[in-house]
Amino acid sequence: MTEQLVVPEHDDASTRDRVARSILEHGPSTAADLAERLHLTPAAVRRHLTVLTDAGQLEPREQRVYGQRGRGRPAKVFVLTDAGRETFHHAYDDLAIRALRFLREAGGAQAVTAFAEHTMDEVRRRFTAEGAEYATPADALTDVLNEQGYVANLQPVASGTQLCQYHCPVSHVAREFPELCAAETRLFSELLGSHVQRIATIAHGDGVCTTHIPHPVERKKVS
């Protein structure tokens, strides 16, 4: 009779922590991504993903495919939920804050602003890659933000549209360094070709980051 290998529970918990931490560090990931990154079997990764999803720490989403799509359904990507992020006690936030304080002391406020602009490069790149697939630039930006974990949607209002972000991965850092929010707002204005206005931010204690996108101004023809 073959003995079944029993994996100690603490080893399972340690591996699940590695899976969640890898998603925290690298962003939305497929099971195949995680298996390769962590040197685990796909079956083991899927088992841990199921446990983390059932615990409310991860959420599966459809993966966006850039360029020509192959046969079959796209693989699901797994993203951390707010509850999943809370398990890390914001250790990475503390490290980022210390790093930005050092950067400000060494290079001044302009160095922090330059870093904040740099953090927006991935959003700009993805928006440029897929923007033509959407009815409006705001729709494309919303989808990119969702891929980055911001849980965003668009809400119509009388004066235009509100872009709502229900989660901010850097909110704890942005409380001390509002340059991050300012850089994001400037990028939104650039990508949408509109003067946008930030109405509320999670970093300042609001429940949702809200950006107002006004209706385009119709120019009257001069007779």
Side-chain angles (χ1 to χ4, degrees):
M1 180 176 180
T2 304
E3 293 186 3
Q4 185 177 3
L5 178 63
V6 178
V7 180
E9 186 176 346
H10 65 84
D11 286 350
D12 271 352
S14 175
T15 303
R16 282 196 292 274
D17 181 73
R18 290 175 59 212
V19 170
R21 190 175 296 274
S22 182
I23 295 173
L24 178 71
E25 293 175 349
H26 296 275
S29 305
T30 66
D33 293 333
L34 292 161
E36 180 178 2
R37 199 181 296 148
L38 301 175
H39 306 292
L40 298 170
T41 65
V45 168
R46 286 192 292 271
R47 179 165 58 86
H48 292 301
L49 289 172
T50 297
V51 174
L52 289 167
T53 300
D54 290 344
Q57 295 181 27
L58 294 182
E59 177 182 288
R61 296 180 183 171
E62 292 292 336
Q63 182 183 39
R64 283 205 57 78
V65 177
Y66 298 94
Q68 188 173 3
R69 176 177 294 179
R71 293 182 177 180
R73 297 183 62 184
K76 287 187 180 297
V77 294
F78 290 83
V79 301
L80 279 174
T81 63
D82 288 347
R85 288 183 178 279
E86 288 294 333
T87 63
F88 291 98
H89 303 294
H90 307 294
Y92 284 96
D93 292 343
D94 294 340
L95 178 62
I97 288 171
R98 292 199 299 270
L100 284 171
R101 286 173 181 167
F102 178 84
L103 183 63
R104 182 170 56 193
E105 292 173 3
Q110 65 272 19
V112 176
T113 298
F115 174 81
E117 297 285 351
H118 177 71
T119 63
M120 295 291 104
D121 285 349
E122 180 65 10
V123 173
R124 180 184 286 105
R125 185 187 71 80
R126 288 187 174 273
F127 176 90
T128 302
E130 68 174 69
E133 299 180 12
Y134 292 84
T136 69
D139 289 321
L141 177 59
T142 301
D143 216 14
V144 171
L145 291 173
N146 278 320
E147 291 178 353
Q148 300 298 306
Y150 287 87
V151 192
N153 66 21
L154 296 172
Q155 299 287 339
V157 293
S159 56
T161 305
Q162 286 186 350
L163 171 59
C164 300
Q165 297 159 254
Y166 297 91
H167 176 61
C168 176
V170 298
S171 60
H172 291 75
V173 182
R175 285 173 188 164
E176 182 170 339
F177 294 94
E179 292 91 343
L180 295 170
C181 294
E184 185 180 77
T185 304
R186 286 193 296 271
L187 178 65
F188 289 176
S189 181
E190 171 195 330
L191 298 181
L192 299 177
S194 172
H195 174 69
V196 303
Q197 181 181 8
R198 183 59 62 90
I199 299 173
T201 64
I202 295 173
H204 289 99
D206 300 300
V208 181
C209 290
T210 307
T211 305
H212 181 256
I213 308 168
H215 285 305
V217 177
E218 295 184 6
R219 298 188 179 185
K220 296 182 179 179
K221 294 182 180 180
V222 179
S223 56

